[in-house]
Amino acid sequence: MLNPRQEKIVTIAAFTANGNLEKLKTALNEGLDAGLTVSEIREILIQMYAYTGFPRSLNGINTFMNVISERQKKGIEDIAGEEPAVLPAGTDRDEYGEKVRMKLAGISTLPPKSGYQIFAPGIDTFLKEHLFADIFGRGVLDYSSREIATVSALAAMTGTEGQLQFHMGAAMNVGVTGTQMENLLSVLNEKVGTREAVMARKVYARVQENRAKNR
């Protein structure tokens, strides 16, 4: 099963993505109470901008700042956590990001470029060098935690089924088990919404079908 900290990643990411700041405030408090560090939650909210846009990410960060301030006034001292890392000088960010993306995709051989990679090569560069190098290279969260956050955020939005399918597979490629994915869907249903959970479950069925074919 997802541990309590991972369950709170689900709700923090989902409510950041759908913009429900009142529920996000509750989720942030619950996340801190469950043992997530300030640095870990901050990293979730930073990563969210790559999937939900700056407005939702910044709203989440401002909400988190208010939560920390309120808790400090109550005498609650939360664990700060580790500081994010910086990629070493001279790192080939394109190569680094490509390797991360291949790990998430569960492949060891780089396929020929296709689709958006050819039509809009700039976005492919941003995905590799910024998202999968600059952001994933910051550490603090492991890949499975980052993918739990991404899956939860995509499930909380509409029109993101294609990306959700990739990232559900990616989550399982970096260690999220089938039982944990079922647990994530249950948290979505109980805490976020039935519509979101139903859509995510349909996408997950396709992921399971494709993985079964490729075994």
Side-chain angles (χ1 to χ4, degrees):
M1 301 292 286
L2 296 175
N3 63 45
R5 297 167 74 255
Q6 291 170 321
E7 287 191 3
K8 302 313 176 188
I9 291 176
V10 174
T11 51
I12 289 170
F15 292 132
T16 300
N18 69 16
N20 191 327
L21 299 184
E22 281 302 312
K23 289 189 176 181
L24 175 60
K25 181 178 179 180
T26 299
L28 291 167
N29 274 291
E30 290 176 348
L32 291 168
D33 291 340
L36 285 171
T37 68
V38 172
S39 182
E40 287 171 333
I41 293 178
R42 187 167 54 216
E43 206 60 34
I44 295 166
L45 298 174
I46 290 171
Q47 179 179 312
M48 286 299 96
Y49 101 81
Y51 298 98
T52 70
F54 274 113
R56 292 291 165 91
S57 175
L58 290 171
N59 286 345
I61 290 170
N62 285 328
T63 301
F64 190 36
M65 290 168 61
N66 290 334
V67 165
I68 293 173
S69 177
E70 290 175 3
R71 290 170 70 91
Q72 288 175 340
K73 289 176 182 176
K74 295 176 183 177
I76 302 173
E77 291 297 327
D78 295 301
I79 302 171
E82 65 180 281
E83 288 298 311
V86 178
L87 292 177
T91 297
D92 185 331
R93 290 159 56 240
D94 186 271
E95 179 182 0
Y96 183 102
E98 189 69 86
K99 288 181 178 178
V100 171
R101 183 164 62 179
M102 290 173 66
K103 182 177 180 66
L104 296 176
I107 58 176
S108 56
T109 303
L110 187 64
K113 290 185 178 182
S114 62
Y116 71 84
Q117 295 174 305
I118 296 173
F119 182 74
I123 196 68
D124 190 48
T125 297
F126 295 152
L127 281 169
K128 290 183 291 182
E129 295 188 4
H130 186 47
L131 174 57
F132 295 127
D134 293 338
I135 295 179
F136 271 64
R138 287 168 61 86
V140 181
L141 296 170
D142 58 22
Y143 287 0
S144 61
S145 295
R146 288 189 179 276
E147 286 305 305
I148 288 170
T150 301
V151 166
S152 304
L154 292 171
M157 298 188 287
T158 58
T160 55
E161 288 85 351
Q163 292 78 16
L164 180 58
Q165 182 170 333
F166 172 83
H167 283 284
M168 280 183 163
M172 300 183 78
N173 289 335
V174 294
V176 176
T177 67
T179 301
Q180 288 176 318
M181 190 63 73
E182 289 286 348
N183 191 185
L184 188 158
L185 295 173
S186 295
V187 173
L188 284 174
N189 187 59
E190 294 168 10
K191 300 291 187 179
V192 181
T194 303
R195 177 189 62 78
E196 292 85 350
V198 168
M199 182 274 286
R201 190 166 291 282
K202 288 180 180 178
V203 174
Y204 182 49
R206 293 201 296 269
V207 172
Q208 289 178 302
E209 182 180 347
N210 290 338
R211 293 175 76 84
K213 289 179 181 177
N214 294 326
R215 283 181 186 144

